[in-house]
Amino acid sequence: MVVLAASIVSKSGKVLVSRQYVDMSRIRIEGLLAAFPKLVGMGKQHTYIETDNVRYVYQPIEALFLLLVTTKQSNILEDLDTLRMLSKLVPEYSMSLDEEGIGRAAFELIFAFDEVISLGHKESVTVAQVKQYCEMESHEEKLHKLVMQSKINDTKDVMKRKANEIDKSKIEKTRVDKGGYSSMSSLGSGRLDSSFSDLSISHGPGGGFGSGPAFGMDVEPINTKAKDRSRSSVTAAPKSSGMKLGKSGKNQLMESLKAEGEDIIEDVKPTSQTRAAVAAPTDPFTLTVEEKLNVALRRDGGISSFDMQGTLSLQILNQEDGFVQVQIETGGNPEILFKTHPNINRELFNSESILGLKRPDQPFPTGQGGDGVGLLRWRMQRADESMVPLTINCWPSVSGNETYVSIEYEASSMFDLTNVIISVPLPALRDAPIVKQCDGDWRYDSRNSVVEWSILLIDNSNRSGSMEFVVPPVDSSVFFPISVQFAATTTYSGLKVNGMIPLRGGGGATPRFVQRTQLITQNYQVV
């Protein structure tokens, strides 16, 4: 039951996409595919054709043929099942079933085919699972968007508060200005002595009755000083604020003050830290090892599901440095299955653990963005509870008119976890829950009705911890599912990059590279 190749060809014999699952020369696969249209034209009404060496199992898709080339000893029923699965995937990734549409979605189709067929054998997957595996959503991107949206919301709230302060200061300034003019108007109403005595007391000598110059000098300082007081009260507001926004918030505040007619002198110079933050990467090679966890733990103990997906990606700074190979070392975990990119030499990887292109005369691409171009993927779907990085126990108990909730965590000694956040859903509450005890910090999100328990670092000093809080009486199912987020620098695969092998330059010194390794959660829950 070995599939030699999965291909999409036109009825004229043009090969659009072909993925080989066994080692064969290009001349042989091109010869097999070139002979297929001639065999179809013999007028037979079957969906398979047998020759002396191979069997063709095919299915028409409009003006194209979806074709499997198999050995004659393969199980034709399983081959037909594989063909049906591939026929469902092709319309999912190609908008139009013609040569142009297949050409645009060629790589997506190859990746989808690899999820269905592994080493020539069919995998037990569905269309939805294949799409999920190929999407490989980025947890970092989601987290970055959430952080940016939170910053935007915080800035809007602060700006509203500053705008209210500016409005209040304008009202105070208007009141002071009106007070000065009312004093002037009272001069003509027969109350000269009291008005001028007020002005003289407020602004020093020279404002006595009968002194002509004093009259002109007293009125102008009232408006000037009132304006200065209101202006100083507005500009001094950021100093008394309890929240510091940094330079972005300060610039927005200055813009709002300018819009109100205030004269602001800006003197903002970029710091060395700012310049360093936006500096371009200087390392010739950056390799990123990332593993994502999708785990569902049962509330009464045990694992409901476990799925770890890992990737190794390469980012190259300069195009001329792309003629290299990557020497790696795996941890030897038998539960982990590795899969190379279609352009990577699989034989070289299996024999010497070296990742290199099938065509050494071509360089690795640069400018891929993000973490670069993917070289290797791996997966692990079986694990016992002792291998889970973090287990959570939640014990709600009702006592009278209150519900006492005790939560405990236990961390595996295999990993040191950072930025741990345990989110426990709560019933709709008017006030925050009463926290009796907490190892770490906690925060109540009233908008989502969630209490977040955060631990900055879990290592050998705090492999276990607990939190206890009290809420009104509710059913225990309200506190589930519990979501967990964390990161670690240790991975299940233990994959390590030993060095870069240059293919040009006469075998000089080993190129300098940087390896980044992280284990993160994608969907980690207690259900």
Side-chain angles (χ1 to χ4, degrees):
M1 298 184 295
V2 176
V3 177
L4 303 180
S7 309
I8 300 178
V9 299
S10 65
K11 292 187 176 180
S12 61
K14 181 179 179 181
V15 181
L16 305 180
V17 174
S18 182
R19 177 71 167 106
Q20 287 73 53
Y21 296 99
V22 296
D23 294 331
M24 64 174 63
S25 64
R26 180 175 178 178
I27 296 177
R28 185 189 177 198
I29 185 62
E30 288 180 347
L32 292 174
L33 296 178
F36 170 72
K38 301 175 183 178
L39 298 174
V40 174
M42 296 174 64
K44 296 182 179 180
Q45 299 298 321
H46 302 290
T47 58
Y48 71 95
I49 300 173
E50 289 189 358
T51 64
D52 295 335
N53 299 319
V54 297
R55 176 189 294 142
Y56 298 96
V57 184
Y58 63 95
Q59 177 176 334
I61 304 179
E62 295 188 1
L64 308 174
F65 281 113
L66 177 61
L67 171 66
L68 291 181
V69 182
T70 69
T71 61
K72 296 184 66 175
Q73 293 77 24
S74 66
N75 189 330
I76 190 171
L77 295 178
E78 186 171 346
D79 294 338
L80 291 173
D81 188 25
T82 304
L83 186 67
R84 281 193 294 270
M85 174 60 70
L86 297 183
S87 66
K88 295 178 183 178
L89 290 174
V90 172
E92 294 288 340
Y93 291 95
S94 178
M95 301 299 296
S96 58
L97 299 178
D98 53 15
E99 295 186 12
E100 184 179 357
I102 297 297
R104 284 197 299 264
F107 282 100
E108 288 78 5
L109 289 171
I110 290 176
F111 294 150
F113 286 2
D114 285 350
E115 296 296 340
V116 178
I117 305 173
S118 177
L119 300 177
H121 299 275
K122 182 180 181 299
E123 296 283 349
S124 179
V125 293
T126 63
V127 175
Q129 289 176 331
V130 171
K131 294 180 66 177
Q132 180 183 359
Y133 299 155
C134 292
E135 284 176 1
M136 297 294 288
E137 295 182 356
S138 173
H139 174 76
E140 287 76 11
E141 180 182 2
K142 291 183 179 179
L143 184 61
H144 175 72
K145 290 181 179 180
L146 291 175
V147 172
M148 292 300 297
Q149 187 61 40
S150 176
K151 290 181 179 180
I152 292 173
N153 294 336
D154 292 342
T155 304
K156 288 181 179 179
D157 294 338
V158 174
M159 291 307 302
K160 289 180 181 179
R161 186 166 64 252
K162 297 302 179 184
N164 293 334
E165 293 178 3
I166 293 172
D167 292 339
K168 290 180 181 179
S169 64
K170 290 175 65 179
I171 294 174
E172 293 176 0
K173 181 175 65 174
T174 304
R175 289 177 180 174
V176 175
D177 292 343
K178 289 183 178 180
Y181 290 121
S182 63
S183 299
M184 292 174 57
S185 62
S186 64
L187 293 176
S189 62
R191 302 175 61 183
L192 301 177
D193 293 336
S194 61
S195 300
F196 264 89
S197 63
D198 293 339
L199 295 176
S200 299
I201 293 173
S202 301
H203 300 285
F209 181 73
S211 176
F215 175 78
M217 294 297 292
D218 284 348
V219 176
E220 181 64 24
I222 290 177
N223 295 334
T224 303
K225 292 187 176 182
K227 184 176 181 180
D228 291 341
R229 285 196 300 271
S230 64
R231 184 178 301 176
S232 63
S233 65
V234 174
T235 56
K239 296 181 180 180
S240 61
S241 175
M243 181 180 293
K244 296 182 180 180
L245 294 179
K247 294 190 178 297
S248 60
K250 181 178 179 181
N251 293 338
Q252 293 179 354
L253 177 59
M254 295 304 174
E255 294 295 333
S256 64
L257 291 175
K258 288 180 181 180
E260 296 296 336
E262 298 292 342
D263 297 328
I264 303 297
I265 299 177
E266 296 185 2
D267 187 14
V268 180
K269 297 180 181 180
T271 64
S272 59
Q273 295 179 353
T274 305
R275 288 192 295 267
V278 298
T282 57
D283 298 301
F285 304 96
T286 301
L287 293 110
T288 303
V289 178
E290 182 181 71
E291 291 184 354
K292 298 180 180 179
L293 282 177
N294 290 276
V295 178
L297 304 174
R298 298 189 185 96
R299 65 184 72 177
D300 54 353
I303 301 177
S304 177
S305 63
F306 181 94
D307 184 26
M308 181 277 292
Q309 299 181 21
T311 57
L312 171 63
S313 55
L314 170 65
Q315 188 173 17
I316 303 177
L317 187 62
N318 301 315
Q319 179 67 41
E320 58 271 14
D321 297 332
F323 297 93
V324 293
Q325 293 177 339
V326 184
Q327 177 72 60
I328 67 171
E329 176 185 350
T330 60
N333 190 335
E335 299 292 338
I336 296 179
L337 301 177
F338 291 92
K339 183 178 294 185
T340 59
H341 189 277
N343 293 333
I344 297 296
N345 190 334
R346 184 184 293 271
E347 289 184 357
L348 185 63
F349 170 71
N350 292 335
S351 60
E352 303 181 29
S353 296
I354 295 177
L355 295 171
L357 293 176
K358 292 181 178 178
R359 298 184 57 181
D361 58 331
Q362 290 185 349
F364 280 105
T366 60
Q368 296 293 319
D371 290 332
V373 60
L375 304 181
L376 187 67
R377 290 191 299 178
W378 59 92
R379 194 171 183 185
M380 176 179 173
Q381 292 183 295
R382 290 188 297 177
D384 53 26
E385 194 171 4
S386 62
M387 298 182 63
V388 175
L390 193 67
T391 57
I392 307 295
N393 293 321
C394 181
W395 299 89
S397 59
V398 179
S399 177
N401 294 327
E402 294 178 332
T403 299
Y404 290 83
V405 182
S406 297
I407 304 176
E408 298 176 347
Y409 75 80
E410 292 186 6
S412 171
S413 59
M414 297 170 55
F415 304 93
D416 289 344
L417 308 180
T418 60
N419 300 324
V420 181
I421 300 177
I422 303 172
S423 302
V424 183
L426 300 179
L429 301 176
R430 178 177 300 178
D431 301 320
I434 302 173
V435 177
K436 299 291 187 179
Q437 184 267 336
C438 180
D439 295 333
D441 299 324
W442 67 277
R443 184 181 74 91
Y444 175 58
D445 184 358
S446 58
R447 179 177 300 178
N448 298 317
S449 190
V450 171
V451 62
E452 294 182 350
W453 178 17
S454 59
I455 304 99
L456 187 61
L457 173 65
I458 297 180
D459 54 12
N460 291 329
S461 62
N462 57 343
R463 291 296 178 188
S464 61
S466 61
M467 177 183 183
E468 183 177 351
F469 59 87
V470 181
V471 295
V474 292
D475 186 73
S476 61
S477 61
V478 173
F479 305 103
F480 297 93
I482 300 174
S483 300
V484 183
Q485 299 178 18
F486 58 79
T489 57
T490 306
T491 58
Y492 282 94
S493 63
L495 191 144
K496 179 182 178 183
V497 179
N498 291 332
M500 308 294 295
I501 304 174
L503 300 180
R504 294 188 177 183
T510 303
R512 183 165 52 91
F513 68 93
V514 172
Q515 177 179 348
R516 299 173 181 171
T517 304
Q518 64 175 353
L519 171 71
I520 59 176
T521 57
Q522 191 172 32
N523 188 12
Y524 199 105
Q525 291 185 334
V526 181
V527 296

